[in-house]
Amino acid sequence: MVASPPVVVVTGANGLVGAAVCRALVERSARVRAVVRRAGSAPALHGVTEHVGDFADEDLARAVTRGADAVVTTVHPMGSSREVQHRVGVEGTPVLARAARDAGVARLVHLSTAGVYDRSAGVGDVAEDGALLPEGSGDYPDTKNATDAALAQVGGLTTVLVRPPAILGAGDTSVWNTLRPQEVRDGERRVNPAKSWPWVHVDDLAVLVADVATGAVATADDPERGPVPGSTTPVNVAGEPATWRDYLGTVTDALGVAPEWTDEPVWTGQLRTDRARGWGWAPRVSLAQALDELRRGLTAGR
């Protein structure tokens, strides 16, 4: 017998990460239920069905998760008010998670962030057991940490918290290829060049998410070998080591402005990805390739 293709729900399917995840899932012959807020904004790919609405609406959540094998959540309104981030992330995402659990969905893959970890000066390399930032560290890390904690409270579901650092990739909504360079152009370019700048390309991130969602990464009692069934397992994902000299130097050079290097104490450790590699993942996009894509996008817009 030929196994039927997996059915995967993806929220924020029109975003940088969501669209990349949809592409990676389609490449794995999955059928994708793309949840978006605006009609006609889901990726126009064979196997992708658009569902318009708010994933935190219980009726929609039940409808899209019925008969699904996995759910991928990518939405968090970074840059919005704390109230909005809390409502969408901390309150809204668990609504979808509970619907997924009740529908018998095998896995929930949530896009968390490496920004939840304490990466202060003097802190060494950071693995999944690294110290989390305390409450009061900022709207984004506070609400992301709270969302992760809320999802961990949804029992009876195998949940994976994927924690990327800076996500590189071309797109109008890309923070690091488009939005942050706009801030640099406007004058925000002070940093210690030795500060670590962990990153991952969106295509490599999507590969890990899609492999976990489709079951290519098997569950295991040991989180170093796979997601723990019925539990919540965080996993870091990052490309090769880089510093702010690499990123900001590329951006300022492409924009024709000068960086403002400082010398204050900074974090110089690395984001450890041993767990993701133990699950069979490895980055394919090199730092040189990612920065070249970044540079080409910025110089084309000058």
Side-chain angles (χ1 to χ4, degrees), residues 80-172:
S80 298
S81 68
R82 186 185 186 92
E83 178 184 7
V84 171
Q85 292 187 58
H86 187 277
R87 173 170 53 80
V88 173
V90 185
E91 297 176 2
T93 306
V95 171
L96 186 63
R98 289 190 292 270
R101 175 200 59 197
D102 296 344
V105 170
R107 295 185 182 188
L108 173 77
V109 185
H110 174 64
L111 195 75
S112 179
T113 174
V116 298
Y117 295 118
D118 179 7
R119 293 182 288 174
S120 306
V123 172
D125 293 350
V126 175
E128 288 81 4
D129 60 354
L132 300 177
L133 287 170
E135 177 73 16
S137 297
D139 294 346
Y140 182 64
D142 285 357
T143 54
K144 290 296 283 187
N145 260 323
T147 301
D148 289 358
L151 290 175
Q153 293 301 310
V154 181
L157 187 63
T158 298
T159 299
V160 176
L161 306 176
V162 179
R163 288 179 171 162
I167 302 171
L168 285 179
D172 292 341

Side-chain angles (χ1 to χ4, degrees), residues 6 28 107 207-219 225-227 279-280:
R28 288 155 179 75
R107 295 185 182 188
V207 164
L208 176 64
V209 171
D211 282 348
V212 173
T214 57
V217 179
T219 56
R225 294 190 292 111
W279 293 8

Side-chain angles (χ1 to χ4, degrees), residues 3 7-8 33 52 123 147 175 181 206 217 259 276 280 291:
V7 176
V8 183
R33 298 174 182 172
V52 181
V123 172
T147 301
V175 171
V217 179
L291 293 181

